[in-house]
Amino acid sequence: LAKTTQPISMDSYEGQEVNITCSHNNIATNDYITWYQQFPSQGPRFIIQGYKTKVTNEVASLFIPADRKSSTLSLPRVSLSDTAVYYCLVGDTRGSTLGRLYFGRGTQLTVWP
Amino acid sequence: GAVVSQHPSRVICKSGTSVKIECRSLDFQATTMFWYRQFPKQSLMLMATSNEGSKATYEQGVEKDKFLINHASLTLSTLTVTSAHPEDSSFYICSATPSGTQYFGPGTRLLVL
């Protein structure tokens, strides 16, 4: 499974847009890119998943360049409640036996008032 | 999204006793579930893959005789921590996928005294 690299921490203020970039140079052809959010003492929560180009849902956007060696999670107008750890994962999650996910250290996002 | 539950949410036990943690997929069937462990301030670490109707697959370094996994139905996997010791105190999280995207349970906080 491709290893991912993310910034350890980021700070932002309420109302700003936050972009968290993840590097995954060894991504395989069948790999998808998935982002999770985790609050203390809770299980990770699915945010968004993509394969290429741009994916958008009600909470975030995911930008993936053509070479797929990196991806950027974009959170529009963050609030204090967005303070959490964000994990970028790469893997072939479509196959049950290949659905194992190996978490990196994640990015601690802190939103200030 | 799909819902995964865990029970109990927290448990305290004496050293040497065994503790069972349940993971249920509430609105979908899961032939495969995954168990993770997370220590304070650290990332999730995959422990094992739980396979319905067959033996679990353990990650390297995880003692299969200590962490017993049973996946008796398509909606239930259990993790039993046998002869628990204080160093087993951790946050245990399970996940399952209805269609490729992993959904996580809320986690179980285990404290071994």
Side-chain angles (χ1 to χ4, degrees):
Chain A
L1 293 172
K3 181 179 178 181
T4 60
T5 304
Q6 307 173 228
I8 293 176
S9 64
M10 293 183 69
D11 291 286
S12 182
Y13 291 99
E14 280 190 295
Q16 291 188 333
E17 177 185 77
V18 171
N19 296 307
I20 306 175
T21 297
C22 178
S23 297
H24 28 80
N25 292 317
N26 297 321
I27 189 169
T29 303
N30 294 331
D31 287 344
Y32 283 76
I33 301 158
T34 310
W35 285 79
Y36 289 90
Q37 174 193 55
Q38 187 182 30
F39 297 111
S41 296
Q42 294 186 27
R45 182 177 77 99
F46 171 82
I47 301 175
I48 198 166
Q49 184 180 70
Y51 184 81
K52 63 180 180 181
T53 62
K54 176 183 176 182
V55 180
T56 298
N57 61 23
E58 62 275 11
V59 297
S61 294
L62 178 59
F63 299 92
I64 306 169
D67 65 4
R68 303 200 327 123
K69 293 184 182 299
S70 67
S71 59
T72 299
L73 173 71
S74 181
L75 304 172
R77 295 195 300 279
V78 295
S79 63
L80 296 177
S81 61
D82 292 317
T83 294
V85 177
Y86 292 81
Y87 294 100
C88 161
L89 291 105
V90 172
D92 183 0
T93 62
R94 299 302 170 115
S96 60
T97 57
L98 298 177
R100 301 189 301 273
L101 295 177
Y102 297 93
F103 282 74
R105 298 180 63 179
T107 298
Q108 170 66 58
L109 171 66
T110 302
V111 180
W112 302 92
Chain B
V3 181
V4 177
S5 71
Q6 285 185 238
H7 177 78
S9 58
R10 56 174 56 194
V11 57
I12 302 174
C13 70
K14 294 182 179 181
S15 183
T17 61
S18 295
V19 175
K20 180 184 286 187
I21 302 170
E22 294 183 347
C23 176
R24 294 183 184 273
S25 55
L26 296 186
D27 50 2
F28 65 97
Q29 294 182 331
T31 57
T32 303
M33 292 183 176
F34 302 91
W35 287 96
Y36 297 80
R37 180 168 54 180
Q38 186 175 32
F39 293 107
K41 304 292 185 182
Q42 293 187 23
S43 186
L44 283 76
M45 184 191 77
L46 179 64
M47 299 175 66
T49 303
S50 173
N51 304 301
E52 189 269 335
S54 64
K55 291 183 178 180
T57 304
Y58 291 82
E59 295 296 308
Q60 189 173 11
V62 178
E63 301 174 60
K64 56 184 173 183
D65 294 331
K66 179 168 186 61
F67 299 99
L68 300 180
I69 292 174
N70 183 275
H71 196 147
S73 77
L74 289 173
T75 59
L76 174 63
S77 174
T78 60
L79 169 69
T80 301
V81 183
T82 62
S83 187
H85 292 285
E87 57 265 31
D88 297 323
S89 298
S90 188
F91 192 52
Y92 292 86
I93 310 169
C94 69
S95 74
T97 173
S99 60
T101 299
Q102 293 284 338
Y103 290 91
F104 289 81
T108 297
R109 175 75 60 190
L110 170 62
L111 177 61
V112 184
L113 302 177

PDB file of all heavy atoms in Angstrom, chain A residues 37-62:
ATOM      1  N   GLN A  37     -11.785  12.102   9.135  1.00  0.00           N
ATOM      2  CA  GLN A  37     -11.663  13.077  10.223  1.00  0.00           C
ATOM      3  C   GLN A  37     -11.837  12.329  11.530  1.00  0.00           C
ATOM      4  O   GLN A  37     -12.724  11.469  11.646  1.00  0.00           O
ATOM      5  CB  GLN A  37     -12.764  14.131  10.067  1.00  0.00           C
ATOM      6  CG  GLN A  37     -12.868  15.143  11.182  1.00  0.00           C
ATOM      7  CD  GLN A  37     -14.177  15.928  11.087  1.00  0.00           C
ATOM      8  OE1 GLN A  37     -15.253  15.349  11.060  1.00  0.00           O
ATOM      9  NE2 GLN A  37     -14.068  17.257  11.010  1.00  0.00           N
ATOM     10  N   GLN A  38     -11.018  12.639  12.509  1.00  0.00           N
ATOM     11  CA  GLN A  38     -11.161  11.988  13.795  1.00  0.00           C
ATOM     12  C   GLN A  38     -11.108  13.001  14.932  1.00  0.00           C
ATOM     13  O   GLN A  38     -10.151  13.779  15.033  1.00  0.00           O
ATOM     14  CB  GLN A  38     -10.097  10.913  14.026  1.00  0.00           C
ATOM     15  CG  GLN A  38     -10.340  10.116  15.305  1.00  0.00           C
ATOM     16  CD  GLN A  38      -9.290   9.067  15.593  1.00  0.00           C
ATOM     17  OE1 GLN A  38      -8.131   9.222  15.225  1.00  0.00           O
ATOM     18  NE2 GLN A  38      -9.688   7.999  16.265  1.00  0.00           N
ATOM     19  N   PHE A  39     -12.133  12.938  15.777  1.00  0.00           N
ATOM     20  CA  PHE A  39     -12.153  13.716  17.007  1.00  0.00           C
ATOM     21  C   PHE A  39     -11.629  12.839  18.126  1.00  0.00           C
ATOM     22  O   PHE A  39     -11.667  11.606  18.030  1.00  0.00           O
ATOM     23  CB  PHE A  39     -13.573  14.194  17.311  1.00  0.00           C
ATOM     24  CG  PHE A  39     -14.142  15.110  16.275  1.00  0.00           C
ATOM     25  CD1 PHE A  39     -15.186  14.681  15.461  1.00  0.00           C
ATOM     26  CD2 PHE A  39     -13.647  16.386  16.102  1.00  0.00           C
ATOM     27  CE1 PHE A  39     -15.720  15.524  14.492  1.00  0.00           C
ATOM     28  CE2 PHE A  39     -14.171  17.230  15.131  1.00  0.00           C
ATOM     29  CZ  PHE A  39     -15.210  16.792  14.328  1.00  0.00           C
ATOM     30  N   PRO A  40     -11.155  13.428  19.216  1.00  0.00           N
ATOM     31  CA  PRO A  40     -10.633  12.629  20.337  1.00  0.00           C
ATOM     32  C   PRO A  40     -11.669  11.633  20.845  1.00  0.00           C
ATOM     33  O   PRO A  40     -12.846  11.955  20.979  1.00  0.00           O
ATOM     34  CB  PRO A  40     -10.309  13.697  21.389  1.00  0.00           C
ATOM     35  CG  PRO A  40     -10.038  14.928  20.605  1.00  0.00           C
ATOM     36  CD  PRO A  40     -10.982  14.877  19.444  1.00  0.00           C
ATOM     37  N   SER A  41     -11.213  10.425  21.089  1.00  0.00           N
ATOM     38  CA  SER A  41     -12.044   9.346  21.643  1.00  0.00           C
ATOM     39  C   SER A  41     -13.236   8.996  20.762  1.00  0.00           C
ATOM     40  O   SER A  41     -14.282   8.568  21.265  1.00  0.00           O
ATOM     41  CB  SER A  41     -12.526   9.714  23.049  1.00  0.00           C
ATOM     42  OG  SER A  41     -11.424   9.826  23.917  1.00  0.00           O
ATOM     43  N   GLN A  42     -13.095   9.182  19.465  1.00  0.00           N
ATOM     44  CA  GLN A  42     -14.123   8.769  18.521  1.00  0.00           C
ATOM     45  C   GLN A  42     -13.473   8.023  17.362  1.00  0.00           C
ATOM     46  O   GLN A  42     -12.287   8.188  17.091  1.00  0.00           O
ATOM     47  CB  GLN A  42     -14.904   9.966  17.976  1.00  0.00           C
ATOM     48  CG  GLN A  42     -15.736  10.707  19.004  1.00  0.00           C
ATOM     49  CD  GLN A  42     -16.594  11.785  18.371  1.00  0.00           C
ATOM     50  OE1 GLN A  42     -16.965  11.691  17.195  1.00  0.00           O
ATOM     51  NE2 GLN A  42     -16.907  12.816  19.134  1.00  0.00           N
ATOM     52  N   GLY A  43     -14.252   7.199  16.688  1.00  0.00           N
ATOM     53  CA  GLY A  43     -13.743   6.546  15.498  1.00  0.00           C
ATOM     54  C   GLY A  43     -13.649   7.524  14.348  1.00  0.00           C
ATOM     55  O   GLY A  43     -14.335   8.549  14.331  1.00  0.00           O
ATOM     56  N   PRO A  44     -12.767   7.261  13.385  1.00  0.00           N
ATOM     57  CA  PRO A  44     -12.647   8.141  12.221  1.00  0.00           C
ATOM     58  C   PRO A  44     -13.968   8.251  11.465  1.00  0.00           C
ATOM     59  O   PRO A  44     -14.718   7.294  11.352  1.00  0.00           O
ATOM     60  CB  PRO A  44     -11.585   7.450  11.369  1.00  0.00           C
ATOM     61  CG  PRO A  44     -10.790   6.636  12.332  1.00  0.00           C
ATOM     62  CD  PRO A  44     -11.793   6.169  13.346  1.00  0.00           C
ATOM     63  N   ARG A  45     -14.204   9.425  10.932  1.00  0.00           N
ATOM     64  CA  ARG A  45     -15.420   9.672  10.153  1.00  0.00           C
ATOM     65  C   ARG A  45     -15.034   9.923   8.701  1.00  0.00           C
ATOM     66  O   ARG A  45     -14.163  10.739   8.411  1.00  0.00           O
ATOM     67  CB  ARG A  45     -16.166  10.864  10.714  1.00  0.00           C
ATOM     68  CG  ARG A  45     -17.484  11.184  10.009  1.00  0.00           C
ATOM     69  CD  ARG A  45     -18.199  12.339  10.690  1.00  0.00           C
ATOM     70  NE  ARG A  45     -17.612  13.632  10.366  1.00  0.00           N
ATOM     71  CZ  ARG A  45     -18.086  14.471   9.445  1.00  0.00           C
ATOM     72  NH1 ARG A  45     -19.146  14.139   8.738  1.00  0.00           N
ATOM     73  NH2 ARG A  45     -17.513  15.639   9.233  1.00  0.00           N
ATOM     74  N   PHE A  46     -15.679   9.234   7.801  1.00  0.00           N
ATOM     75  CA  PHE A  46     -15.412   9.383   6.375  1.00  0.00           C
ATOM     76  C   PHE A  46     -15.759  10.798   5.920  1.00  0.00           C
ATOM     77  O   PHE A  46     -16.825  11.333   6.255  1.00  0.00           O
ATOM     78  CB  PHE A  46     -16.240   8.364   5.590  1.00  0.00           C
ATOM     79  CG  PHE A  46     -16.208   8.563   4.094  1.00  0.00           C
ATOM     80  CD1 PHE A  46     -15.148   8.069   3.350  1.00  0.00           C
ATOM     81  CD2 PHE A  46     -17.235   9.230   3.439  1.00  0.00           C
ATOM     82  CE1 PHE A  46     -15.110   8.238   1.972  1.00  0.00           C
ATOM     83  CE2 PHE A  46     -17.207   9.408   2.068  1.00  0.00           C
ATOM     84  CZ  PHE A  46     -16.142   8.905   1.329  1.00  0.00           C
ATOM     85  N   ILE A  47     -14.819  11.410   5.176  1.00  0.00           N
ATOM     86  CA  ILE A  47     -15.083  12.733   4.635  1.00  0.00           C
ATOM     87  C   ILE A  47     -15.337  12.658   3.139  1.00  0.00           C
ATOM     88  O   ILE A  47     -16.367  13.104   2.640  1.00  0.00           O
ATOM     89  CB  ILE A  47     -13.901  13.693   4.880  1.00  0.00           C
ATOM     90  CG1 ILE A  47     -13.606  13.850   6.371  1.00  0.00           C
ATOM     91  CG2 ILE A  47     -14.208  15.062   4.273  1.00  0.00           C
ATOM     92  CD1 ILE A  47     -12.374  14.703   6.636  1.00  0.00           C
ATOM     93  N   ILE A  48     -14.372  12.116   2.414  1.00  0.00           N
ATOM     94  CA  ILE A  48     -14.461  12.148   0.957  1.00  0.00           C
ATOM     95  C   ILE A  48     -13.507  11.122   0.365  1.00  0.00           C
ATOM     96  O   ILE A  48     -12.499  10.764   0.990  1.00  0.00           O
ATOM     97  CB  ILE A  48     -14.141  13.573   0.438  1.00  0.00           C
ATOM     98  CG1 ILE A  48     -14.646  13.780  -0.989  1.00  0.00           C
ATOM     99  CG2 ILE A  48     -12.661  13.878   0.553  1.00  0.00           C
ATOM    100  CD1 ILE A  48     -14.665  15.251  -1.412  1.00  0.00           C
ATOM    101  N   GLN A  49     -13.833  10.657  -0.806  1.00  0.00           N
ATOM    102  CA  GLN A  49     -12.996   9.682  -1.506  1.00  0.00           C
ATOM    103  C   GLN A  49     -12.965  10.015  -2.989  1.00  0.00           C
ATOM    104  O   GLN A  49     -13.984  10.443  -3.552  1.00  0.00           O
ATOM    105  CB  GLN A  49     -13.539   8.265  -1.305  1.00  0.00           C
ATOM    106  CG  GLN A  49     -12.700   7.157  -1.919  1.00  0.00           C
ATOM    107  CD  GLN A  49     -13.323   5.785  -1.659  1.00  0.00           C
ATOM    108  OE1 GLN A  49     -14.365   5.433  -2.195  1.00  0.00           O
ATOM    109  NE2 GLN A  49     -12.675   5.007  -0.806  1.00  0.00           N
ATOM    110  N   GLY A  50     -11.802   9.795  -3.598  1.00  0.00           N
ATOM    111  CA  GLY A  50     -11.706  10.067  -5.022  1.00  0.00           C
ATOM    112  C   GLY A  50     -10.642   9.234  -5.700  1.00  0.00           C
ATOM    113  O   GLY A  50      -9.788   8.626  -5.029  1.00  0.00           O
ATOM    114  N   TYR A  51     -10.692   9.225  -7.018  1.00  0.00           N
ATOM    115  CA  TYR A  51      -9.692   8.498  -7.809  1.00  0.00           C
ATOM    116  C   TYR A  51      -8.850   9.467  -8.643  1.00  0.00           C
ATOM    117  O   TYR A  51      -7.632   9.341  -8.700  1.00  0.00           O
ATOM    118  CB  TYR A  51     -10.361   7.485  -8.723  1.00  0.00           C
ATOM    119  CG  TYR A  51      -9.386   6.635  -9.485  1.00  0.00           C
ATOM    120  CD1 TYR A  51      -8.797   5.532  -8.890  1.00  0.00           C
ATOM    121  CD2 TYR A  51      -9.043   6.946 -10.809  1.00  0.00           C
ATOM    122  CE1 TYR A  51      -7.870   4.760  -9.583  1.00  0.00           C
ATOM    123  CE2 TYR A  51      -8.131   6.181 -11.504  1.00  0.00           C
ATOM    124  CZ  TYR A  51      -7.550   5.082 -10.889  1.00  0.00           C
ATOM    125  OH  TYR A  51      -6.635   4.320 -11.572  1.00  0.00           O
ATOM    126  N   LYS A  52      -9.502  10.421  -9.271  1.00  0.00           N
ATOM    127  CA  LYS A  52      -8.779  11.422 -10.053  1.00  0.00           C
ATOM    128  C   LYS A  52      -9.606  12.689 -10.181  1.00  0.00           C
ATOM    129  O   LYS A  52     -10.773  12.718  -9.798  1.00  0.00           O
ATOM    130  CB  LYS A  52      -8.415  10.878 -11.425  1.00  0.00           C
ATOM    131  CG  LYS A  52      -9.612  10.534 -12.288  1.00  0.00           C
ATOM    132  CD  LYS A  52      -9.165   9.988 -13.636  1.00  0.00           C
ATOM    133  CE  LYS A  52     -10.366   9.635 -14.506  1.00  0.00           C
ATOM    134  NZ  LYS A  52      -9.948   9.074 -15.810  1.00  0.00           N
ATOM    135  N   THR A  53      -8.989  13.723 -10.659  1.00  0.00           N
ATOM    136  CA  THR A  53      -9.552  15.066 -10.884  1.00  0.00           C
ATOM    137  C   THR A  53     -10.131  15.632  -9.598  1.00  0.00           C
ATOM    138  O   THR A  53      -9.438  15.749  -8.617  1.00  0.00           O
ATOM    139  CB  THR A  53     -10.590  15.054 -12.015  1.00  0.00           C
ATOM    140  OG1 THR A  53     -11.682  14.199 -11.666  1.00  0.00           O
ATOM    141  CG2 THR A  53      -9.960  14.582 -13.298  1.00  0.00           C
ATOM    142  N   LYS A  54     -11.387  16.008  -9.609  1.00  0.00           N
ATOM    143  CA  LYS A  54     -11.965  16.702  -8.458  1.00  0.00           C
ATOM    144  C   LYS A  54     -13.246  16.025  -8.017  1.00  0.00           C
ATOM    145  O   LYS A  54     -14.064  15.618  -8.832  1.00  0.00           O
ATOM    146  CB  LYS A  54     -12.252  18.160  -8.830  1.00  0.00           C
ATOM    147  CG  LYS A  54     -12.943  18.963  -7.742  1.00  0.00           C
ATOM    148  CD  LYS A  54     -13.265  20.367  -8.226  1.00  0.00           C
ATOM    149  CE  LYS A  54     -14.048  21.159  -7.176  1.00  0.00           C
ATOM    150  NZ  LYS A  54     -14.410  22.512  -7.633  1.00  0.00           N
ATOM    151  N   VAL A  55     -13.376  15.912  -6.710  1.00  0.00           N
ATOM    152  CA  VAL A  55     -14.591  15.371  -6.111  1.00  0.00           C
ATOM    153  C   VAL A  55     -15.081  16.382  -5.097  1.00  0.00           C
ATOM    154  O   VAL A  55     -14.285  16.941  -4.344  1.00  0.00           O
ATOM    155  CB  VAL A  55     -14.335  14.015  -5.435  1.00  0.00           C
ATOM    156  CG1 VAL A  55     -15.620  13.476  -4.828  1.00  0.00           C
ATOM    157  CG2 VAL A  55     -13.746  13.017  -6.421  1.00  0.00           C
ATOM    158  N   THR A  56     -16.360  16.603  -5.073  1.00  0.00           N
ATOM    159  CA  THR A  56     -16.936  17.553  -4.110  1.00  0.00           C
ATOM    160  C   THR A  56     -18.173  16.950  -3.478  1.00  0.00           C
ATOM    161  O   THR A  56     -18.981  16.312  -4.146  1.00  0.00           O
ATOM    162  CB  THR A  56     -17.299  18.876  -4.808  1.00  0.00           C
ATOM    163  OG1 THR A  56     -16.112  19.476  -5.329  1.00  0.00           O
ATOM    164  CG2 THR A  56     -17.928  19.848  -3.819  1.00  0.00           C
ATOM    165  N   ASN A  57     -18.294  17.139  -2.155  1.00  0.00           N
ATOM    166  CA  ASN A  57     -19.533  16.776  -1.490  1.00  0.00           C
ATOM    167  C   ASN A  57     -19.958  17.932  -0.594  1.00  0.00           C
ATOM    168  O   ASN A  57     -19.415  19.047  -0.694  1.00  0.00           O
ATOM    169  CB  ASN A  57     -19.398  15.450  -0.738  1.00  0.00           C
ATOM    170  CG  ASN A  57     -18.342  15.489   0.342  1.00  0.00           C
ATOM    171  OD1 ASN A  57     -17.976  16.552   0.856  1.00  0.00           O
ATOM    172  ND2 ASN A  57     -17.838  14.316   0.681  1.00  0.00           N
ATOM    173  N   GLU A  58     -20.862  17.689   0.297  1.00  0.00           N
ATOM    174  CA  GLU A  58     -21.436  18.776   1.088  1.00  0.00           C
ATOM    175  C   GLU A  58     -20.479  19.319   2.138  1.00  0.00           C
ATOM    176  O   GLU A  58     -20.704  20.393   2.686  1.00  0.00           O
ATOM    177  CB  GLU A  58     -22.736  18.317   1.750  1.00  0.00           C
ATOM    178  CG  GLU A  58     -22.575  17.164   2.727  1.00  0.00           C
ATOM    179  CD  GLU A  58     -22.608  15.809   2.040  1.00  0.00           C
ATOM    180  OE1 GLU A  58     -22.558  15.752   0.792  1.00  0.00           O
ATOM    181  OE2 GLU A  58     -22.669  14.795   2.771  1.00  0.00           O
ATOM    182  N   VAL A  59     -19.401  18.615   2.409  1.00  0.00           N
ATOM    183  CA  VAL A  59     -18.495  19.087   3.459  1.00  0.00           C
ATOM    184  C   VAL A  59     -17.101  19.451   2.955  1.00  0.00           C
ATOM    185  O   VAL A  59     -16.388  20.225   3.619  1.00  0.00           O
ATOM    186  CB  VAL A  59     -18.354  18.054   4.589  1.00  0.00           C
ATOM    187  CG1 VAL A  59     -19.687  17.837   5.268  1.00  0.00           C
ATOM    188  CG2 VAL A  59     -17.786  16.751   4.073  1.00  0.00           C
ATOM    189  N   ALA A  60     -16.674  18.912   1.827  1.00  0.00           N
ATOM    190  CA  ALA A  60     -15.296  19.131   1.392  1.00  0.00           C
ATOM    191  C   ALA A  60     -15.143  18.912  -0.106  1.00  0.00           C
ATOM    192  O   ALA A  60     -16.055  18.402  -0.767  1.00  0.00           O
ATOM    193  CB  ALA A  60     -14.355  18.178   2.143  1.00  0.00           C
ATOM    194  N   SER A  61     -13.975  19.300  -0.583  1.00  0.00           N
ATOM    195  CA  SER A  61     -13.586  19.004  -1.961  1.00  0.00           C
ATOM    196  C   SER A  61     -12.243  18.297  -1.935  1.00  0.00           C
ATOM    197  O   SER A  61     -11.426  18.537  -1.033  1.00  0.00           O
ATOM    198  CB  SER A  61     -13.473  20.282  -2.795  1.00  0.00           C
ATOM    199  OG  SER A  61     -14.724  20.903  -2.943  1.00  0.00           O
ATOM    200  N   LEU A  62     -12.042  17.451  -2.911  1.00  0.00           N
ATOM    201  CA  LEU A  62     -10.790  16.710  -3.018  1.00  0.00           C
ATOM    202  C   LEU A  62     -10.232  16.950  -4.419  1.00  0.00           C
ATOM    203  O   LEU A  62     -10.917  16.673  -5.408  1.00  0.00           O
ATOM    204  CB  LEU A  62     -11.033  15.217  -2.788  1.00  0.00           C
ATOM    205  CG  LEU A  62      -9.829  14.288  -2.911  1.00  0.00           C
ATOM    206  CD1 LEU A  62      -8.744  14.668  -1.918  1.00  0.00           C
ATOM    207  CD2 LEU A  62     -10.255  12.841  -2.696  1.00  0.00           C
TER     208      LEU A  62
END
